[in-house]
Amino acid sequence: MDCVTVNNLSKNYDKRRVLNNISFSLECNKSYSLIGQNGAGKSTILKILAGLIDYTGDVTIKKNKPGSDESKKLIGYLAEDASPYINLTVKENLLYIASLRGVQNMNERLSFLVDLLGLNRYLNIMVSSLSRGTMQRLSLALSIVHNPEIVLLDEPLNYIDIPTQEKVIQFFRTMNSTFLISTHVMSIAERFAENIIIINDGNIIFNGKLSEIESMRKNNETIESVISGIML
């Protein structure tokens, strides 16, 4: 069963075409990495699925339109370089978003995320005083606080230390969710997902299994080199 379907999706910013009539689907409870160079259209896809910007084409989130009340309940979205409410403390941010999301067993859920992401000693600190890495950890917690069925992450491991990265990846593997993770770093894509979508200049040029890309390697060729060849 597909949780997300995208058919003939296009997007222009003024006269510049960013997405060019693309189509793909995301199977429920599977993980996908969206790979491409800067400016390829990755973030635009995530924003459309999250219901933040308009588009032309047919997009459904479990048969709901992006931005509808139904799809908003299903989705957790992390923007690239996301910023929580800087005039609130870490704890206030967590409580506020959890309340908006209608999180059940709120104290238990927040305690778990705080431990997972190493936020305990920052709970009473204003977000404006946090390092970029700690702010990213908080943003990640806010994006999954409601245990979403569909998780859209734009460069989620930016600024995060390696031990926390590993904890987050291991936790994601336990979630019964559909993941679409945007990145231009292949090593991150490999760790997150078994399925790869490659986008270049607004066009999908590969949509398949990570193992298919690995099988294209010759001798000691890196996966990055294989993908570069696909993009040419």
Side-chain angles (χ1 to χ4, degrees):
M1 177 182 174
D2 292 333
C3 279
V4 176
T5 58
V6 174
N7 290 302
N8 304 317
L9 172 63
S10 294
K11 174 64 181 177
N12 290 349
Y13 289 119
D14 295 323
K15 295 182 180 181
R16 183 169 65 94
R17 176 61 63 97
V18 180
L19 297 176
N20 187 28
N21 202 39
I22 65 171
S23 299
F24 65 90
S25 61
L26 306 181
E27 187 177 345
C28 294
N29 303 324
K30 298 292 185 180
S31 57
Y32 297 78
S33 285
L34 183 60
I35 300 172
Q37 298 174 332
N38 293 331
K42 304 185 304 296
S43 296
T44 297
I45 290 173
L46 295 187
K47 288 175 183 177
I48 288 171
L49 295 180
L52 300 178
I53 57 177
D54 60 1
Y55 59 92
T56 59
D58 183 28
V59 180
T60 58
I61 311 293
K62 277 198 162 183
K63 300 183 179 180
N64 302 297
K65 292 297 182 183
S68 66
D69 289 341
E70 293 81 4
S71 68
K72 287 178 181 178
K73 293 175 184 176
L74 297 170
I75 284 176
Y77 170 65
L78 175 69
E80 184 176 13
D81 293 331
S83 178
Y85 293 100
I86 63 172
N87 293 323
L88 298 179
T89 65
V90 168
K91 183 177 182 179
E92 288 168 341
N93 266 276
L94 289 165
L95 289 171
Y96 178 59
I97 298 301
S99 178
L100 286 180
R101 287 294 198 173
V103 174
Q104 302 296 314
N105 302 315
M106 186 184 301
N107 289 338
E108 179 181 344
R109 178 64 175 171
L110 294 184
S111 177
F112 170 79
L113 291 174
V114 164
D115 287 340
L116 174 71
L117 292 160
L119 294 171
N120 284 286
R121 61 194 180 103
Y122 303 103
L123 286 175
N124 296 314
I125 294 178
M126 301 291 288
V127 168
S128 58
S129 299
L130 297 177
S131 70
R132 193 65 193 85
T134 304
M135 194 180 298
Q136 182 76 356
R137 282 184 274 154
L138 173 58
S139 297
L140 192 52
L142 297 175
S143 71
I144 59 172
V145 68
H146 55 306
N147 196 23
E149 291 185 37
I150 299 168
V151 184
L152 309 173
L153 304 174
D154 199 345
E155 303 289 358
L157 300 185
N158 278 357
Y159 315 110
I160 294 180
D161 59 86
I162 291 175
T164 303
Q165 287 184 22
E166 291 305 315
K167 289 175 64 177
V168 168
I169 291 169
Q170 292 302 319
F171 171 64
F172 283 167
R173 289 172 178 163
T174 70
M175 290 178 64
N176 190 29
S177 301
T178 304
F179 282 88
L180 180 62
I181 297 110
S182 167
T183 183
H184 63 276
V185 181
M186 190 60 209
S187 61
I188 292 175
E190 289 180 278
R191 291 153 70 195
F192 261 122
E194 70 252 29
N195 303 286
I196 303 291
I197 300 172
I198 302 177
I199 185 168
N200 192 33
D201 291 332
N203 297 289
I204 290 179
I205 58 174
F206 179 88
N207 186 356
K209 298 287 186 182
L210 174 61
S211 58
E212 294 177 56
I213 294 180
E214 291 174 336
S215 69
M216 298 177 192
R217 297 169 66 179
K218 298 176 182 178
N219 300 321
N220 294 321
E221 188 179 20
T222 65
I223 287 193
E224 287 84 357
S225 178
V226 174
I227 290 177
S228 294
I230 293 173
M231 290 181 175
L232 292 177

